[in-house]
Every structure is written in structure tokens, then in C-alpha cells.
Amino acid sequence: MRLLFSAHDAGGGDALVPLIRTFSSDISSAILCVLGGKSKEIFIRESIHFVDGERLEDEKLTAEIKAFSPDAVITGTSFGLSIDKKVLRLALMQKIPAISVVDYWSNYKVRFQNPESGKMLLPDKICVVDELMKKEMLEEIFPEDKILITGNPRFDSFGNAPLPERVIPGQ
């Protein structure tokens, strides 16, 4: 399986890291990460190789995606004309299955709106953290058949980590 991951904001990058780790441990998977913004800092810290999407003109980004020929695209969500939106737009144009992970409870429409056209860029599936997020997105008229409650992969990765000792000031 060939998977293309893309994020711009730190929250989106953070949410994708555990997924990339899971798929990169499978020898039958090939992974390409195209990043921008604060997500690059996350991937540098996590020692995950990526392509700096902010340095690619639209034509080069399109060529990079076509050359990689992904089976699916998984993105974070960000404001503005971010790299994850550019990658999502190209995936939709090329009819590549696309999934977006919403990492925080706010600004749902802005996360999916193309600021150039005002049109919504909706992937095949939108992974949300919980029932509250799903409810809020439905209230903003997102199609219910696109929304899946999956949790946030980054939160889930904390499950096996030891909790820090509680420090009580003055003791």
C-alpha cells in the first residue's frame, strides 16, 4: 500500500505521527510525507523523513504526487491554503481516496474551505475525536456519512506511556 500523508499545523502533524509509525512498520507499505508549517518541526523531532511542500510549486507538487501514485491520502486539517489542503485538492482531482483527521474541537468549516474559491474540500472520510465533535460538525451541515469517530491517534498513543509523577508544590 502506498500512503501519502500531509499536514501543516502542529496538531495535524502530531495526529499523523502514530499512523505513520504504524504503517511504516509494515514492509508492504510505502510512505510519502508532504508537510508545511509547524508540522515540519514535529516530524524533525520524531525523525520522520518528509518533503517540504512549501518549497514546491503547484506543478511540482502535482508531479510528486503522480510519481508516488498513492493508494490513499491522509491529511491533517488547517486554516488557509495550507499544504494539507493543496494535497487534498489534488487527491480529489485525481480520484485518490482521501481521509482527513480533525485534531481539535473548533473551526470545522475553515479547516475544509478552500480560501481561493470558498468551496469546501471534503475528503471521502473525516476522522473525528469524539461524539461531541461529530455533533458539532453535523450542526455545521457536514455530511454524516463522511464522519467517523476514531479518536485522535496521538492521544491514543499515550495509552502505554508511563504517567509522570505528580509534583505537589511545597513537598
Side-chain angles (χ1 to χ4, degrees):
M1 172 153 296
R2 301 178 68 74
L3 300 172
L4 189 153
F5 291 88
S6 184
H8 185 87
D9 292 345
D14 226 15
L16 295 183
V17 166
L19 298 174
I20 292 164
R21 294 247 185 263
T22 297
F23 284 107
S24 64
S25 66
D26 177 2
I27 60 169
S28 65
S29 294
I31 292 174
L32 173 65
C33 300
V34 180
L35 305 177
K38 295 286 186 182
S39 68
K40 295 185 291 188
E41 295 172 18
I42 304 281
F43 279 58
I44 290 168
R45 185 182 70 231
E46 296 288 334
S47 300
I48 299 173
H49 177 74
F50 64 89
V51 172
D52 186 343
E54 293 175 316
R55 294 178 183 245
L56 297 176
E57 299 293 327
D58 286 350
E59 299 79 31
K60 287 194 179 219
L61 178 61
T62 301
E64 186 92 26
I65 292 171
K66 282 185 178 180
F68 183 68
S69 186
D71 296 306
V73 169
I74 301 132
T75 73
T77 57
S78 307
F79 289 27
L81 191 57
S82 55
I83 192 63
D84 46 18
K85 276 195 187 121
K86 288 180 180 183
V87 168
L88 177 58
R89 182 182 66 209
L90 291 169
L92 295 172
M93 288 171 36
Q94 296 177 29
K95 304 211 181 316
I96 301 167
I99 299 167
S100 292
V101 178
V102 181
D103 63 282
Y104 194 75
W105 298 261
S106 68
N107 303 304
Y108 305 115
K109 284 187 180 177
V110 175
R111 293 170 183 269
F112 293 97
Q113 189 173 38
N114 181 336
E116 293 177 323
S117 68
K119 293 182 181 178
M120 298 295 280
L121 294 168
L122 294 178
D124 298 290
K125 294 296 178 186
I126 301 169
C127 298
V128 301
V129 175
D130 58 15
E131 192 65 46
L132 173 62
M133 188 179 284
K134 178 178 179 178
K135 179 181 175 275
E136 290 175 345
M137 290 184 76
L138 291 173
E139 288 171 359
E140 291 191 22
I141 320 296
F142 279 82
E144 186 168 12
D145 65 325
K146 289 190 177 285
I147 301 173
L148 296 172
I149 299 172
T150 59
N152 181 321
R154 189 57 162 181
F155 296 164
D156 296 344
S157 71
F158 296 147
N160 296 326
L163 293 173
E165 283 188 41
R166 185 171 176 206
V167 177
I168 301 171
Q171 287 190 345

